[in-house]
Amino acid sequence: MSSPEQWTHPEPGAGPAATAAAPTPEQVIAGLRTTSEGGAELTQLLTPEGERIPSAQFDPYVSDVDHEALRGLYRDMVLVRRADRESNAMQRQGQLGIWVPLLGQEAAQIGSGRALKPTDMAFPSYREHGVAYTRGVDFRELLGIFRCTDHGGWDFKRHGFHPYTIVIGNQVLNATGYAMGQKFEGKVGDDDGEATITYFGDGATSQGDVHEGFVWAAVYDAPLVFFCQNNQWAISEPTERQSRLPLYQRARGYGFPGIRVDGNDVLACLAVTRWALEQCRHGNGPVLIEAFTYRMDAHTTTDDPTRYRLSDELEEWKLKDPIERVRAHLARGGGADQAFFDQVQAEADQFAAELRDHVFNMPDPPPDRIFSNVYAEPSPVLEAQRREYLAYLDGFAGSEH
Amino acid sequence: MSSPEQWTHPEPGAGPAATAAAPTPEQVIAGLRTTSEGGAELTQLLTPEGERIPSAQFDPYVSDVDHEALRGLYRDMVLVRRADRESNAMQRQGQLGIWVPLLGQEAAQIGSGRALKPTDMAFPSYREHGVAYTRGVDFRELLGIFRCTDHGGWDFKRHGFHPYTIVIGNQVLNATGYAMGQKFEGKVGDDDGEATITYFGDGATSQGDVHEGFVWAAVYDAPLVFFCQNNQWAISEPTERQSRLPLYQRARGYGFPGIRVDGNDVLACLAVTRWALEQCRHGNGPVLIEAFTYRMDAHTTTDDPTRYRLSDELEEWKLKDPIERVRAHLARGGGADQAFFDQVQAEADQFAAELRDHVFNMPDPPPDRIFSNVYAEPSPVLEAQRREYLAYLDGFAGSEH
Amino acid sequence: MTATMKSTVDVSNSAVQNLTIGKAINLGLRTAMEADSKVIVLGEDVGKLGGVFRITDGLQKDFGEQRVLDTPLAESGIIGTAVGLAVRGFRPVCEIQFEGFIFPGFDQISSQLAKLHYRTQGKIKVPVVIRVPYGGGIGAVEHHSESPESLFAHVAGLKVVSCSNPVDAYWMIQQAITTDDPVLFFEPKRLYHSGNLKAPVDPSATPDPLFASRVVRTGTAATLVAYGPSVKVALDAATAAEEEGTSLEVIDLRTLSPLDLDPVFESVRRTGRLIAISEAPGESSLTSEIAARVQQECFYSLEAPVLRVTGFDTPYPPTKLEEDYLPDLDRVLHTVDRSLNW
Amino acid sequence: MTATMKSTVDVSNSAVQNLTIGKAINLGLRTAMEADSKVIVLGEDVGKLGGVFRITDGLQKDFGEQRVLDTPLAESGIIGTAVGLAVRGFRPVCEIQFEGFIFPGFDQISSQLAKLHYRTQGKIKVPVVIRVPYGGGIGAVEHHSESPESLFAHVAGLKVVSCSNPVDAYWMIQQAITTDDPVLFFEPKRLYHSGNLKAPVDPSATPDPLFASRVVRTGTAATLVAYGPSVKVALDAATAAEEEGTSLEVIDLRTLSPLDLDPVFESVRRTGRLIAISEAPGESSLTSEIAARVQQECFYSLEAPVLRVTGFDTPYPPTKLEEDYLPDLDRVLHTVDRSLNW
Ligand SMILES: Cc1ncc(C[n+]2csc(CCOP(=O)(O)OP(=O)(O)O)c2C)c(N)n1
Ligand SMILES: Cc1ncc(C[n+]2csc(CCOP(=O)(O)OP(=O)(O)O)c2C)c(N)n1
Ligand SMILES: [Mg+2]
Ligand SMILES: [Mg+2]
C-alpha cells in the first residue's frame, strides 16, 4: 500500500510511473490516515513527550532559547489558545458571526511568528490569529472581522502584518510582490536583511496563484518564506485530494528548498523559520516550509467535521498537542513550576475576559461606513449615492420605522 | 557561474538555498545561452550528425522504425516545414493575417504526433501544425484561422485533435478533464488503453492553469502526457524568466515522471512519447515531457526577434536541425537515395502549391456568420440582432455603398 | 392575485414533496443524475460533506466517487477540467462554493466555456452547468455575499439563470443540465433553507421553459422586476403596497441571459412604470440593461423613468451593514412612490 | 466646431512633439518614471522588446531591469505581485499584452486590487495601473480584439478610463499613475500608430482632469457619446452628418468608472437625443448604464429613447467580419436617423 509519505519520485525516465496515493477505505475507517505521521524527513526538536532532540543544523537557530524564552513561547500558545476558545464560545453565543479556530496550530503560528523581526512582513490567510498575536496585533482588533463589523482594522504597516485574505491563494502572490519590493530596495544581502513570510494551507497549494508565487519568487530570488500549514484538511478534503506527494516536496520542481517541520513543535518551527528567513535575508530565498500539523477543531464554526472524519484521528493527534509537550519539557527539566503554569492560566483567563468584554461592547458601524473609503480619491457618483441613501434614512427619523 | 542545467535541488534543509540562474550579460551577448545544450539528462537517439545512439530504455519503443518508417517521418517533417514556409510567405503577401511558424519544431511535433493512436486525443496550443498534420487534419483547414475567416473548422472528434487554443495554458486543463473522462469511462488499464496529450510552451509553464492541470492529473491518475515544447523563448523572454530549473524537473514536485527529450530528434520524440503514452494507457499517468528545441523563426510574423536575441544562437541551433539529421542518417545508412529526397521535395512543393491555391481562393465568410452558433439553442435576443443587422445591410443593397 | 406555484399542485399525489429551495435543487440534481449517467457533479467539498450548504448531500454516497468529485482546491481547475469532460461527452455540474470564489475561474469561463461552441461552429458542445450560491443576507465574512451575475450576462456565449422558489429550483436545475449550452446557475443562498418558502414540488408537472420570465403577481400601478433572492422582496413589497391600495405587478426574470423581456415590455405598456431590483451594484449591470431596453421598447408608455433598487456601487460592506446595503421592502416601496410621483 | 486638442498648442514651443497615441503613452510613462522612482513597469515582453506594440520601447534600456520587468507568463502573477509591490510603496504599471488575456488576472483584480483600500478603510493604498490594449480592427486572431471594459466598470473599487487621442494619452497615463486608486487604463490599440491622429503634445500645458468627460464637438440635433477607439468613429460621423446638414454633438467619455455623465445630461437636455457607441457587446454593459442613467436624469428632455451602436452580443467574430461587427460611420448615422425619426 503506497502512501504519500513513502512515495518517491522516480528518476526521469527510470522505472514505471507511479499513481496517486490514497488511503484504503479501511484506513480511513480506522482513522489511520497516514497523515498522522510526519515521515522520516520531519524536522522535530521537541517530541510529543517533551524530549529535546538535538539537531546539528537547527540547534544553532535556537541556541538563545533558554527556559525563560521557552516559558514565553508556552505563554504565547496558552494565550492564543485561550483566546481562540473564547472566540469560539462567543460565536456559539451569537456574538460573532463566524469563528475560524486555530486549535492545534498554535506551535506552527507562534514558532514561525516569533522568528520574525519587526522589519519583516507577514501575509496571513484567515486562520493566523497566533501569528497576528506575535506581530503585536491586539487580538481584539481581529474580532471585528468575525463579528462582521469591519474587515480588519489594525495598522498593517506598523505591525508588519497584512490584512487577512480569504480568497485562497491570493495573499501568496501579494506577498511575493512585497518581497520583490524588499529586494528591489536593496534590503537583502546580510544578517540585517528584510524578509517576508506568507501563510497558506494544504488546500491552497492547488491554486494557480500559489504556483505563480513559487515561479515569481524563484525567478526574482524574492526573500520570501512560503509557510504552508498542512493541517491535513481543506474543509472536508484530506491532503491526498491535493497532492500525491508530501507538500514540502513541491519546492523540488521550482529549484528552491522545501522542508517539513513538525508543526506541533514550537521550537522546531521557530528554528526552521529562522533558518529560512536567514536564507531570505541573505538573498537566497525563497524557501518553502511545510508545517505538519492538524486542525483539531472544525474548519469554521459553521462546519461539521463529523460528516467527513473520524474521531480516532483526532485522538491520535491529541497525543501530539503543541502546548503539552512544552509544558512537559519545562516541568521535567525544571524550567517552570506549577505556580508558573497557574499564573499563565490566570493571565489567559484575564485575556479572554477582556476579549469577551470588548466583543460584547463592540459598536455597530454606521450606515455611512458602506460608502467610506471605497476610493482614495472619492467618486462623485458614489458620493451622490451616499447622500441619497443617508437622506432616505433621515426620512425615517422619528417615524415608526 | 550557475546555469539552469547544473543547478540541483538541495536535499531539504541541507546546505544553502540556491538563487535563480541567469546567463551573464557576456553569455547573452555571445549568444551562448546555456539553453543551447540540453544537458546530461537529454534523451537522444539520433545525434545532430545523424548517428544512432542506443538506449536500453527507449529502443524498444522504436524497434518497428525501419528505414521505410524513418523515410516516412522524414517526409512528414519536410512537408510540414514546406507548408510552414509557404504559409509564412503567404502572410508576407497579405494573404494571411498572421502566421505562427513551427520552423525548428518539426521533430518534436511529428515525433510526438506519430506516437498517438487514432483513439487518442490531442489538445494543441496554436503552433502545432505538425501535430495537426499527423492527426490527419488537412493543412488547408488550419489556414482559415490565420486568414481570419474562421476559428478552425476540422472535425475535432474524428481527428482526435482539439481546436487551437490561444489563451496560454487553458488547453492543459481542458485536456486534463478529457483524460479524466477517459479514465472514468474505464478506457485505461492495458495496451489498448486510451490516452491524451496536450501541448504547451516553456512560457506556459508559469500559468496557474498548467499547474492546476498537473495537480488534477496527478490526483486523478489521468492518462495525460504533458508535452512541453521548450523552444527557449516565450516571445522575447528566455526560459530563465520562467524557471530556475530545467522544466522537466517541474514534475518532481507533483509526483509523476518528467523527462527531457531532444526535441530536434524525431526518433527520440517518437520513442519517449510512446513510452509516456504507454504509461498512461496502463493507468500510470500523467507524464511530463520537455522537448528541448528551438524556435528558429520569429514568434509570429508580427514579431521581430532581432530586438531580443542574437543570430549566434540561431546559428548554433541550425547545426541541430531536425530534418538534416534524419537525412544524414538515411543517406549514410543506405536508407534513402537522392531520388527519394528529390521526390519528397517535389511532393512538398506540390503540397505547398495546393495550399497556396486554396488560400488565394478562400471565400470570405458572410456577415450572417457573426451570429451563427453562438449557442446550441438559439437566443431570441441574438436572433433579433441578427435579423435587424441583416435587414440593415439589405438597406444598402443597390445603393452606392 | 398572488400567483405562487403552490396553487396548481395536486397535493394528494404521493410523489409530491414539500421542499425548500436547497432540497429542491438536491432532488433536481439527483433526478438528473439518475436520468443520464453522463451527468457528474464536481467541486470543493461536494462529496462526503455534501457541500457547505448540503446541496449535494447524499449524492456521492449514492452515485459514487467518479460521479461526485471532491476536487482539488482551485476554481480554474474545476471549470477547466469540466470543459474537457464536456468535450469528452460528460455533462458536468460544477459547484462554486461561494460566488466570491468564481473569479479564479473567470478565464476558463470566458475564454473556453463561453466560446468553444462558437469557435467550432457547433462541432463542440460544452453542456456545463456552474452552480453559484450567491447574494447576501447571511451575515458572512467578505466574499461570501456578492452578486456577480451581471459579469456573466455580459459575456456572450453563456446563459445565465437564477431561481427564486423551490419549484423553479427543482425544474430549472434539470433544464440547465439538459441544455446543450453552458449555463451559469445562480442560487439564492440565503433562501436555501427557508422554511417559509417551502413548496410542494410535483415531479409529474410540466415545467415552464428555462429561458422565460414569468409574471408572478399581476398588478396595475407599477411593475417590479426582480430575480433570485430579490423576488421575495418584490413580492413582499407588493403585498405591503396592496394593503395601502397600490397594485403592483411582479415579474420574476428567471433568465438573466438571454433576457426574456417581452413580459416586462407587455407589463410596462400597461402600468407605465418599472422598478428593477437586484442586490448587485447597479453600475454597468443587468438592471442597467433592463432599463436601457425598456426605455427603448416602451418609450411612449413610460410615465416615469425606469428606476432601480440595487446594491450600492461599493464592495459588499461588513455584514453588520448588509440590511442597509441590500434592497429591502422599504427601499422598494420608497422607489415605487418616487415612480408614482414622478 | 471640431474641438480637437491641436488648436490650443503652441507649436513654436520646442518641447512640443507631434506624437501618435502609442508614442504619447510611451512619453507619458517615461515622464512618470522620471518623476517618481517608485514607478515601475511590469508585464510580458515589456523590457527588451518594448512590448508587442512597443509602447514601453526603450524604458528598460534607460531605467534598468528592476524598474522594467519582463515577468513570467501569467497574468494573475503580474497583477498579484503588483498589488504586493504597491503595498510595499511602489507604483506598478502593469501591461496586459492584449485585453483577451486579462481574465486569468480577474480574481486578483476584483478580490484584492479593487477591495484592499475599502477593506482596510484607506490604511492600504494600491496605486496600480493596468494598461490594457483593447478593441478590434487590427485583423487579429481570437482574443486580440475584445472590449471587456464593462466588466471592470461593474467591479466597485476600480477606476476605469480610456483615451482616444495622443494628448489625452500622454496626460491620462501620468494622471492614472499618480492617482492613489487602482486604474484600469484601456488603450485603443488600433489607433496606437495612426499617423492621422498624430497631434502636438505640449508637456507644459495644463491637462484636463482624469475623471472628466469632455465635449469634443458641439452640435444641436443629437448627441453622440463614445470612448476610446469609438470617439474617432463618432467624430467622423459628425463630420459626415454636417455635410448633410445635421449638427451632432460628440462627447468623449474618457472616464468609464466613475462615469462623469454631467456633460452628457447637459447635452441631452439641449439635443433631446443620445446615441451611445461602443465596440463591446451591448448586453449588461457600460452603454446600458449610460442609457439607464440618461433616461432617468433627462426623462422629460428625451425626444427619442437613448439608442446604442455596439458590438453584437456574440463573441468577437473571425476578423474578416470585424468591419461588420464594429460600430462604423454608417451604423452610427443610421442610428442617428432612427433617433431623429423616432
Ligand atoms: C478561491 C477560494 N475558493 C474557495 C474558498 C472556500 N474555502 C475557504 S477555506 C477552504 C479550505 C482551505 O483549506 P486549506 O488551504 O487547507 O486551509 P485551512 O482552512 O485548512 O487552514 C475553502 C475551500 C475560498 N475561500 N477561496
Ligand atoms: C494568457 C495569455 N497571456 C498572454 C498571451 C500572449 N502570448 C501569446 S504567445 C506568448 C508566448 C508563449 O510562449 P511559450 O509558452 O513558450 O510558447 P511558444 O509561443 O514559444 O510556442 C504570449 C505571451 C496569451 N496568448 N495568453
Ligand atoms: Mg488545511
Ligand atoms: Mg516558447
Side-chain angles (χ1 to χ4, degrees), chain D residues 64-95:
Chain D
E65 295 203 5
Q66 274 194 2
R67 292 193 60 199
V68 182
L69 280 68
D70 274 328
T71 66
L73 203 176
E75 287 73 13
S76 193
I78 294 170
I79 294 159
T81 55
V83 169
L85 282 158
V87 173
R88 178 71 189 182
F90 289 84
R91 303 188 86 87
V93 183
C94 308
E95 174 173 300

XYZ file of all heavy atoms in Angstrom, chain D residues 64-95:
231
model
N 16.502 50.392 -16.474
C 17.065 49.180 -15.893
C 16.046 48.075 -15.668
O 14.827 48.297 -15.746
N 16.578 46.900 -15.355
C 15.735 45.705 -15.256
C 14.935 45.646 -13.970
O 14.050 44.807 -13.832
C 16.593 44.439 -15.376
C 17.241 44.305 -16.730
C 17.616 42.864 -17.053
O 17.294 41.960 -16.261
O 18.223 42.650 -18.111
N 15.284 46.487 -12.999
C 14.489 46.460 -11.777
C 13.340 47.448 -11.828
O 12.500 47.468 -10.942
C 15.369 46.725 -10.551
C 16.000 45.438 -10.065
C 16.589 45.546 -8.685
O 16.517 46.567 -8.028
N 17.180 44.467 -8.235
N 13.297 48.248 -12.863
C 12.145 49.148 -12.991
C 11.286 48.795 -14.194
O 10.159 49.286 -14.305
C 12.600 50.616 -13.030
C 13.175 51.031 -11.659
C 13.347 52.514 -11.523
N 12.095 53.244 -11.656
C 12.035 54.532 -11.943
N 13.160 55.221 -12.120
N 10.868 55.137 -12.056
N 11.817 47.974 -15.057
C 11.023 47.494 -16.195
C 11.216 45.984 -16.257
O 12.246 45.494 -16.692
C 11.446 48.164 -17.510
C 10.571 47.673 -18.656
C 11.357 49.685 -17.389
N 10.197 45.268 -15.789
C 10.336 43.830 -15.562
C 9.656 42.999 -16.644
O 8.437 43.092 -16.824
C 9.687 43.447 -14.225
C 10.440 43.694 -12.934
C 10.604 45.173 -12.649
C 9.695 43.019 -11.778
N 10.458 42.186 -17.300
C 9.883 41.124 -18.136
C 9.482 39.994 -17.204
O 10.323 39.253 -16.700
C 10.942 40.600 -19.125
C 10.992 41.425 -20.390
O 9.945 41.948 -20.817
O 12.082 41.542 -20.966
N 8.206 39.867 -16.966
C 7.754 38.910 -15.952
C 7.543 37.519 -16.544
O 7.431 37.369 -17.758
C 6.400 39.349 -15.365
O 5.422 39.269 -16.408
C 6.464 40.748 -14.808
N 7.436 36.517 -15.674
C 6.957 35.219 -16.158
C 5.576 35.373 -16.796
O 4.890 36.385 -16.578
C 6.885 34.377 -14.874
C 7.872 35.013 -13.947
C 7.798 36.489 -14.253
N 5.195 34.352 -17.535
C 3.975 34.444 -18.342
C 2.734 34.035 -17.551
O 2.304 32.872 -17.632
C 4.140 33.553 -19.586
C 3.284 33.862 -20.810
C 3.649 32.953 -21.963
C 1.815 33.890 -20.581
N 2.174 34.930 -16.790
C 0.940 34.623 -16.060
C 0.360 35.918 -15.529
O 1.026 36.668 -14.804
C 1.210 33.655 -14.909
N -0.876 36.170 -15.897
C -1.466 37.472 -15.593
C -1.859 37.619 -14.133
O -1.811 38.715 -13.577
C -2.657 37.731 -16.517
C -2.267 38.049 -17.959
C -1.761 36.844 -18.749
O -1.929 35.705 -18.266
O -1.186 37.041 -19.835
N -2.298 36.543 -13.500
C -2.598 36.656 -12.074
C -1.315 37.002 -11.339
O -1.324 37.819 -10.408
C -3.192 35.347 -11.549
O -3.748 35.529 -10.274
N -0.225 36.413 -11.782
C 1.076 36.719 -11.193
C 1.457 38.170 -11.392
O 1.968 38.822 -10.464
N 1.227 38.686 -12.557
C 1.578 40.082 -12.817
C 0.789 41.003 -11.894
O 1.352 41.868 -11.217
C 1.302 40.444 -14.302
C 2.246 39.665 -15.220
C 1.428 41.946 -14.530
C 1.908 39.768 -16.700
N -0.502 40.782 -11.825
C -1.331 41.687 -11.038
C -1.168 41.427 -9.550
O -1.081 42.358 -8.747
C -2.797 41.597 -11.508
C -2.865 42.136 -12.947
C -3.717 42.394 -10.595
C -4.057 41.694 -13.721
N -1.103 40.159 -9.182
C -0.948 39.820 -7.769
C 0.354 40.343 -7.182
O 0.377 40.832 -6.046
N 1.435 40.256 -7.935
C 2.694 40.802 -7.417
C 2.661 42.333 -7.455
O 3.241 42.983 -6.587
C 3.926 40.279 -8.193
O 3.773 40.543 -9.585
C 4.100 38.772 -7.986
N 1.985 42.894 -8.429
C 1.871 44.351 -8.479
C 1.155 44.866 -7.229
O 1.533 45.895 -6.658
C 1.132 44.800 -9.743
N 0.139 44.152 -6.791
C -0.554 44.536 -5.557
C 0.435 44.540 -4.399
O 0.506 45.499 -3.618
C -1.729 43.572 -5.265
C -2.277 43.783 -3.859
C -2.848 43.756 -6.296
N 1.228 43.487 -4.310
C 2.217 43.415 -3.225
C 3.261 44.510 -3.329
O 3.676 45.095 -2.314
N 3.692 44.795 -4.531
C 4.653 45.872 -4.732
C 4.049 47.213 -4.310
O 4.720 48.064 -3.714
C 5.101 45.914 -6.196
C 6.133 44.845 -6.588
C 6.125 44.578 -8.094
C 7.543 45.255 -6.141
N 2.768 47.385 -4.614
C 2.099 48.627 -4.221
C 2.003 48.725 -2.700
O 2.199 49.796 -2.121
C 0.711 48.708 -4.851
N 1.717 47.623 -2.052
C 1.662 47.621 -0.585
C 3.023 48.042 -0.030
O 3.125 48.731 0.973
C 1.246 46.229 -0.054
C 1.361 46.163 1.465
C -0.172 45.877 -0.492
N 4.055 47.640 -0.723
C 5.411 47.987 -0.298
C 5.757 49.450 -0.580
O 6.755 49.972 -0.111
C 6.390 47.066 -1.028
C 7.852 47.310 -0.764
C 8.281 46.893 0.642
N 9.642 47.317 0.946
C 10.283 47.050 2.085
N 9.689 46.349 3.042
N 11.501 47.474 2.277
N 4.964 50.102 -1.406
C 5.228 51.512 -1.669
C 5.562 51.842 -3.115
O 5.825 52.998 -3.453
N 5.557 50.831 -3.953
C 5.812 51.090 -5.377
C 4.531 51.541 -6.070
O 3.441 51.433 -5.506
C 6.356 49.819 -6.043
C 7.766 49.489 -5.627
C 8.015 48.783 -4.453
C 8.843 49.908 -6.393
C 9.320 48.503 -4.049
C 10.150 49.627 -5.997
C 10.384 48.921 -4.820
N 4.687 52.043 -7.262
C 3.538 52.398 -8.099
C 3.660 51.616 -9.407
O 4.148 52.121 -10.417
C 3.510 53.907 -8.378
C 3.478 54.762 -7.109
C 3.252 56.236 -7.407
N 1.843 56.562 -7.507
C 1.084 56.898 -6.464
N 1.579 56.969 -5.256
N -0.183 57.169 -6.655
N 3.197 50.372 -9.372
C 3.397 49.498 -10.537
C 2.448 49.840 -11.691
O 1.276 50.149 -11.477
C 3.078 48.092 -10.003
C 2.999 48.234 -8.507
C 2.601 49.659 -8.251
N 2.993 49.784 -12.870
C 2.204 49.936 -14.085
C 2.313 48.613 -14.845
O 3.363 48.285 -15.383
C 2.732 51.080 -14.961
C 1.846 51.263 -16.194
C 2.842 52.371 -14.159
N 1.225 47.839 -14.823
C 1.237 46.527 -15.472
C 0.784 46.667 -16.909
O -0.148 47.406 -17.202
C 0.246 45.574 -14.807
S 0.427 45.454 -13.030
N 1.405 45.924 -17.783
C 0.862 45.811 -19.139
C 0.262 44.424 -19.314
O 0.917 43.421 -19.042
C 1.955 46.040 -20.194
C 1.438 45.786 -21.615
C 2.423 46.165 -22.707
O 2.810 47.341 -22.789
O 2.807 45.269 -23.496
